[in-house]
Amino acid sequence: MTKDEIIEVIKVVIEDNLDDVSAGDIDPRKSMKDYGANSLDMIEVVSCSMRELNIKVPRAELAELQNIEALADKFLEYTDA
Amino acid sequence: MPDNILNFSLADFFFNDNPDVLGAPSDFEEWMAHPAVRKGFSFFEQVLLEAPRVSTRILSNLDGREHRIINLTSYNYLGLSTHPEVIAASKAALDKYGLGSSGAPLLSGTLDIHVEFARRLAEFKGKEDCLLYSSGLGANVGAIQGIMRKGDYLIMDEKCHKSLVDGGTLSGAKMLFFAHNDLDNLQMMLEKAKGKRILVVVEGVYSMDGDLPKLPEILDLCEAYNAGSYIDEAHSTLIFGENGRGVAEHFGVEDRIGVSFGTLSKSFGGVGGFVCATKSLIRYLKGYSSAWNFSCAPSPAVTGGLMKALEVATRDSSLRDTLWANVSYLKKGLEGLGLDLGGSESHVIPIIIGPSGEKLMGYAGAMQKRGLFLQPVDFPAVPAHARRFRISVSSQLSREEMDETLTIIEDVIVKGAD
Ligand SMILES: Cc1ncc(COP(=O)(O)O)c(C=O)c1O
């Protein structure tokens, strides 16, 4: 799986979970917060994305990530493994 | 299970993929069985064999043996749970009313002792009325759920307690979390919610950091945006303010607070929670706050003890004066050791260790072996880069116990003895 494919998965999940956001408008250099996500929404997006990708990344490694792209990079480490 | 097993935490097993709805997630048992994880969990649910005083006995999970320890983990800030007058009052109430209230408060559970205690709490907090709940968590969940509706905005500090978050989730209101004590961020959210029904929620003393809210400025913003305010004074009631009424009194803003929440399980030394507000809001909540109207009224024996605890803690300032003297002494000692105490401004003092869970657990074990019971606080309760210990200072601490505490902390955390 490539990073771009991972980003696509995350975008769709964001669209499903947040109000008034469509996947096509999401810029991965931005944070989910920029699209109105609160911390509970972010937990939900991360969980759904991981289920979709069939990976399990410890939350402790996700806390400091700044944007969607960084999340995809982190996911990529786990899809390769 | 991957080799970075120690990076996993309870935050990672919330979503459950087990097709058996009554089973734990497939990898949860495996994770829990790992020796390193088991060691971490062994610090939880250690059994106290005596009252939760500063000096008590514990059945240690580390070696399965009984030990006398200095307990800086309990919330018995003023030692009221074992105060002789409190115990006598509780016994008298037990004799008079029995163990339970045997009913929901709206039906048959309301006893004269509940009415009187609620009246005194309202008077103490300078509010028109008060609702008593059987648990502090229940009071927050019940009050928030009772006040907020779908379409409303609940704006809370990101460090607010889980009970406040759960109340918000249950209510269906839109929830926004502002960066801790960040007024610009709060204003941005208020701007976003402008025109809606908005409730802003903060705490009096943040329970993992021991710092205070920027209350006057936060209330300025609430007023500018026509938002209601709710303060959780779980850790500050009976401790802050000239008369012990809490952080709102400390800042001189009591009359600007919409809802004042307190718990009865910490400085009060009992169990339960209460919410003070206008008569009209309390009357409304009685109809819609499920944790109140669908749950049995508090035990009269506990209520009797609590009424005395309020009296003892407020008839003069001696207990909180002693507590504050202990806070100064311990803080000075800890600062002298060069430890990172975060931004604590209260009797709740974190000792921030950093990102290493292994170090945290190592220190916790070594301190306990030396006779100091300090519970480690790990991710996800606190950020992964700031794992910590949290000292709950008590008025019961003697000078000798504080010196012993400082020596153990110095030997273990500063010098690395094990
Ligand atoms: C800030 C805060 N609010 C509410 C509660 C819940 O109170 P209780 O433990 O009495 O149910 C706690 C304590 O755990 C708390 O720290």
Side-chain angles (χ1 to χ4, degrees):
Chain A
M1 191 155 228
T2 67
K3 180 170 159 183
D4 283 343
E5 287 167 328
I6 293 175
I7 288 177
E8 282 317 305
V9 169
I10 300 173
K11 280 183 179 178
V12 171
V13 174
I14 291 176
E15 181 182 282
D16 287 347
N17 280 282
L18 299 184
D19 298 334
D20 309 322
V21 184
S22 69
D25 295 336
I26 296 170
D27 177 354
R29 286 166 304 184
K30 289 196 165 174
S31 153
M32 281 188 254
K33 276 189 183 167
D34 297 322
Y35 297 103
N38 68 25
S39 49
L40 302 180
D41 298 324
M42 289 194 267
I43 290 174
E44 190 73 24
V45 168
V46 166
S47 302
C48 293
S49 304
M50 290 200 296
R51 258 182 289 178
E52 199 71 28
L53 296 164
N54 203 16
I55 54 173
K56 186 149 183 161
V57 183
R59 303 271 160 181
E61 294 180 22
L62 302 175
E64 309 295 316
L65 301 181
Q66 294 301 324
N67 58 19
I68 296 165
E69 189 170 4
L71 180 64
D73 282 327
K74 184 48 101 180
F75 283 174
L76 191 63
E77 283 173 33
Y78 280 78
T79 43
D80 285 344
Chain B
M1 208 71 214
D3 48 6
N4 58 347
I5 193 148
L6 286 175
N7 281 353
F8 285 86
S9 67
L10 283 178
D12 294 301
F13 302 94
F14 178 73
F15 286 89
N16 193 343
D17 56 1
N18 192 332
D20 174 4
V21 73
L22 299 182
S26 53
D27 45 1
F28 180 71
E29 296 294 334
E30 200 187 330
W31 177 71
M32 287 290 278
H34 190 282
V37 175
R38 273 179 40 193
K39 184 157 174 250
F41 272 87
S42 65
F43 290 101
F44 297 122
E45 292 183 61
Q46 299 193 85
V47 174
L48 298 191
L49 303 166
E50 292 174 8
R53 293 189 180 87
V54 162
S55 172
T56 187
R57 273 185 323 126
I58 191 176
L59 176 60
S60 171
N61 285 347
L62 305 185
D63 59 9
R65 298 229 287 265
E66 296 178 13
H67 298 273
R68 177 146 296 281
I69 40 129
I70 298 174
N71 166 22
L72 293 185
T73 295
S74 294
Y75 298 130
N76 202 1
Y77 300 133
L78 300 178
L80 286 169
S81 85
T82 53
H83 192 285
E85 289 179 59
V86 171
I87 291 175
S90 177
K91 281 182 180 164
L94 180 64
D95 285 340
K96 180 167 178 191
Y97 300 96
L99 184 61
S101 304
S102 304
L106 208 55
L107 304 176
S108 60
T110 297
L111 303 172
D112 56 356
I113 194 173
H114 295 131
V115 176
E116 178 58 17
F117 186 45
R119 192 191 64 73
R120 290 191 196 179
L121 284 171
E123 185 182 76
F124 174 57
K125 288 283 182 174
K127 296 283 177 225
E128 289 173 11
D129 210 348
C130 169
L131 213 48
L132 285 184
Y133 292 78
S134 300
S135 110
L137 176 138
N140 268 338
V141 171
I144 299 282
Q145 163 266 321
I147 295 169
M148 303 304 285
R149 299 288 174 266
K150 207 168 172 209
D152 296 347
Y153 274 74
L154 187 61
I155 305 185
M156 50 179 119
D157 190 288
E158 65 181 356
K159 295 207 167 159
C160 277
H161 192 259
K162 178 88 165 108
S163 51
L164 296 160
V165 179
D166 282 359
T169 304
L170 191 59
S171 76
K174 181 100 182 151
M175 282 193 272
L176 302 175
F177 300 89
F178 62 96
H180 181 51
N181 254 336
D182 183 331
L183 298 169
D184 290 338
N185 197 220
L186 169 59
Q187 181 159 19
M188 227 172 71
M189 291 177 177
L190 284 164
E191 202 47 59
K192 200 167 151 180
K194 210 170 169 169
K196 305 276 190 196
R197 281 162 37 96
I198 309 170
L199 183 66
V200 173
V201 183
V202 296
E203 289 184 12
V205 166
Y206 284 92
S207 55
M208 293 297 160
D209 296 81
D211 60 343
L212 310 185
K214 292 181 182 158
L215 200 51
E217 296 84 353
I218 289 171
L219 290 168
D220 287 344
L221 281 170
C222 288
E223 285 154 16
Y225 285 84
N226 204 17
S229 57
Y230 185 115
I231 185 164
D232 174 337
E233 296 237 37
H235 294 270
S236 41
T237 301
L238 300 186
I239 292 172
F240 272 83
E242 181 74 29
N243 300 290
R245 297 199 294 262
V247 159
E249 185 192 15
H250 168 80
F251 283 113
V253 296
E254 285 166 288
D255 53 342
R256 297 170 65 194
I257 300 285
V259 179
S260 176
F261 161 94
T263 182
L264 300 166
S265 67
K266 303 192 197 300
S267 52
F268 277 90
V271 65
F274 64 96
V275 166
C276 295
T278 59
K279 263 205 166 355
S280 132
L281 180 64
I282 296 296
R283 198 181 302 120
Y284 182 70
L285 280 177
K286 285 181 177 176
Y288 297 96
S289 181
S290 303
W292 186 81
N293 66 5
F294 291 97
S295 186
C296 186
S299 159
V302 173
T303 305
L306 285 166
M307 191 121 70
K308 183 56 81 176
L310 176 64
E311 182 193 320
V312 171
T314 55
R315 67 186 170 203
D316 60 46
S317 62
S318 56
L319 286 177
R320 54 180 185 280
D321 291 347
T322 309
L323 173 70
W324 283 113
N326 288 350
V327 171
S328 312
Y329 187 81
L330 259 184
K331 229 177 219 172
K332 206 160 138 213
L334 293 165
E335 275 162 2
L337 295 176
L339 296 163
D340 177 1
L341 308 182
S344 172
E345 303 167 77
S346 69
H347 54 297
V348 176
I349 309 175
I351 300 176
I352 298 174
I353 300 301
S356 169
E358 227 169 328
K359 244 186 189 171
L360 182 78
M361 296 306 166
Y363 293 155
M367 288 194 286
Q368 196 172 306
K369 250 197 268 168
R370 295 275 304 268
L372 178 61
F373 179 39
L374 251 193
Q375 187 70 20
V377 190
D378 205 348
F379 179 83
V382 294
H385 65 269
R387 295 172 214 252
R388 66 193 63 184
F389 293 97
R390 183 180 51 158
I391 294 182
S392 296
V393 183
S394 170
S395 61
Q396 287 179 326
L397 272 163
S398 67
R399 186 59 71 93
E400 293 69 40
E401 285 163 334
M402 290 192 280
D403 287 336
E404 175 71 5
T405 296
L406 290 167
T407 304
I408 295 174
I409 291 176
E410 178 176 16
D411 286 350
V412 173
I413 301 183
V414 182
K415 297 185 181 156
D418 53 24

